[in-house]
Amino acid sequence: MSTTPRLTALDALHRSLGATMTDFAGWDMPLRYASERDEHNAVRTRAGLFDLSHMGEITVTGPQAVDLLNYALVGNIGTVGLGRARYTMICQEDGGILDDLIVYRLGDTEFMVVANAGNAQIVLDAITERAAGFDAVVTDDRDAYALIAVQGPESPGILKSVTDADLDGLKYYAGLPGTVAGVPALIARTGYTGEDGFELFVAPEHAEQLWQALTEAGKDVGLVPAGLSCRDTLRLEAGMPLYGHELTTALTPFDAGLGRVVKFEKECDFVGRTSLEAAAERAAVNPPRKLVGLIAEGRRVPRAGFPVVAEGQVIGEVTSGAPSPTLGKPIAIAYVDAAHAEPGTAGVGVDIRGTHEPYEVVALPFYKRQK
């Protein structure tokens, strides 16, 4: 099996822009172009342009496409309206999370499932296996799409200048086919930054034309290319989970505080249902560790895996941590015992290489954009 990272259709362009590249989930991706702090702040105040072509697109079509997805995933896909999208998860039989997903309904019997890059093959294999007995076709469309995102408060104006699609009528978690800068695209109002923005699914051969057009359209309002590093701090401030950190096969959606995505009202059976019903009952009687935000009182930065402590005892674990450009302080997301999960709980710290650094417990997200 080749260990050479895959390249997106924009690889040469990233290098021409001086990007620092990194291997991420088997892809060579831009980590940053200049200052990750400047890129982060640009997305919060103006706009950033991201290459997300490493994400995994899986198309499910056919008369029983809805039935298959209702069986394979924990959400109720039958209630997703035409042109809308839904955040959901795919779980193992024991309830452990295989991945979190976005499902777009492109037609009455056509859906696109978007998986995280590192889990795309796992999700494809699972849905394909679960398709047995259903009149539906599962297609690996990872090579059919490049994915470009424009995120930030200036993004609607930038995109409006290069498309005649009805962006004003496009709601959050919805998508519509359109033409952007002369390129056919699925225009989705989704993102992973906590800001308003759009994700544009296009054929790989059109990616560079679209990127250049968006760059030109945004040059007067401060649009900058943005890499994976600032994408991580943006999603962290917005309290959005990252697979492999806040979500793993060792956790059920109820353990992760995301039990709301599991729809037991579905009349059909679905993979993991029995285990998830038991997990929901356990969570109701004896709440598991809760996902909380932590804000540093000092300057030392917590990292994933660091213990959270109180009164000399380990009460949890950091899952993600970084300096927050918006707050100006180090922040972390952590699972902590329910007894220490209330915002303002006193005496909580993070063990950073043997020193217990004081942290304030806060509700997530750290940052919420003004509507």
Side-chain angles (χ1 to χ4, degrees):
M1 202 170 171
S2 174
T3 57
T4 304
R6 297 181 66 184
L7 307 181
T8 78
L10 294 167
D11 182 76
L13 188 147
H14 297 316
R15 294 173 193 279
S16 74
L17 292 172
T20 299
M21 306 296 287
T22 188
D23 185 344
F24 182 82
W27 291 80
D28 216 11
M29 298 296 295
L31 187 65
R32 69 182 71 83
Y33 297 85
S35 159
E36 55 202 53
R37 178 180 289 271
D38 289 347
E39 291 169 24
H40 178 111
N41 290 333
V43 176
R44 284 279 178 259
T45 60
R46 302 184 304 278
L49 194 59
F50 297 84
D51 179 7
L52 305 180
S53 301
H54 60 314
M55 300 296 280
E57 296 86 7
I58 301 159
T59 303
V60 181
T61 57
Q64 291 187 307
V66 170
D67 301 318
L68 165 57
L69 290 172
N70 269 343
Y71 171 70
L73 313 180
V74 301
N76 190 347
I77 307 307
T79 60
V80 179
L82 188 62
R84 298 307 301 266
R86 177 143 317 153
Y87 177 78
T88 187
M89 294 182 183
I90 182 168
C91 290
Q92 301 177 145
E93 196 64 67
D94 67 1
I97 302 166
L98 281 174
D99 202 13
D100 60 337
L101 313 164
I102 296 180
V103 178
Y104 295 88
R105 188 167 200 156
L106 305 180
D108 288 339
T109 59
E110 181 182 4
F111 297 82
M112 182 169 68
V113 178
V114 180
N116 285 297
N119 291 331
Q121 189 64 49
I122 293 169
V123 174
L124 174 67
D125 291 345
I127 295 177
T128 300
E129 181 182 334
R130 296 171 190 187
F134 290 95
D135 187 1
V137 176
V138 180
T139 307
D140 179 1
D141 272 339
R142 283 176 287 178
D143 292 335
Y145 292 103
L147 178 56
I148 295 173
V150 55
Q151 299 277 304
E154 296 287 353
S155 59
I158 293 169
L159 195 55
K160 279 180 184 177
S161 71
V162 291
T163 184
D164 57 4
D166 178 19
L167 299 186
D168 291 333
L170 186 63
K171 297 178 180 177
Y172 187 51
Y173 265 70
L176 83 167
T179 300
V180 182
V183 170
L186 171 65
I187 305 167
R189 200 163 205 155
T190 47
Y192 195 50
T193 63
E195 297 297 337
D196 191 11
F198 303 87
E199 296 183 321
L200 308 170
F201 297 84
V202 299
E205 60 267 26
H206 294 148
E208 189 165 336
Q209 177 184 336
L210 179 56
W211 180 283
Q212 298 287 24
L214 290 167
T215 298
E216 180 67 21
K219 67 178 183 180
D220 293 334
V221 292
L223 174 76
V224 302
L228 292 181
S229 186
C230 83
R231 190 166 182 252
D232 190 48
T233 52
L234 289 160
R235 72 91 194 168
L236 179 56
E237 288 183 351
M240 295 177 170
L242 174 63
Y243 195 87
H245 289 252
E246 289 71 44
L247 310 175
T248 72
T249 53
L251 298 170
T252 73
F254 295 95
D255 297 323
L258 291 165
R260 65 181 181 277
V261 307
V262 181
K263 302 302 182 184
F264 293 123
E265 68 269 19
K266 288 194 289 187
E267 293 182 3
C268 66
D269 188 23
F270 59 90
V271 176
R273 180 171 195 138
T274 300
S275 297
L276 289 168
E277 286 173 341
E281 290 178 15
R282 286 196 304 272
V285 175
N286 184 23
R289 284 183 167 179
K290 292 188 176 180
L291 204 58
V292 301
L294 300 174
I295 300 178
E297 294 182 17
R299 308 304 303 173
R300 297 187 72 187
V301 178
R303 298 298 182 188
F306 284 13
V308 182
V309 295
E311 299 171 355
Q313 301 296 314
V314 174
I315 58 151
E317 183 176 297
V318 171
T319 53
S320 298
S324 165
T326 304
L327 276 64
K329 298 178 180 180
I331 60 173
I333 297 177
Y335 281 109
V336 302
D337 295 343
H340 295 86
E342 282 300 309
T345 299
V348 173
V350 175
D351 185 338
I352 301 181
R353 298 181 180 86
T355 303
H356 292 186
E357 300 287 340
Y359 273 74
E360 178 188 359
V361 179
V362 299
L364 293 171
F366 300 97
Y367 167 85
K368 200 167 188 177
R369 71 181 175 92
Q370 300 299 310
K371 299 293 184 182

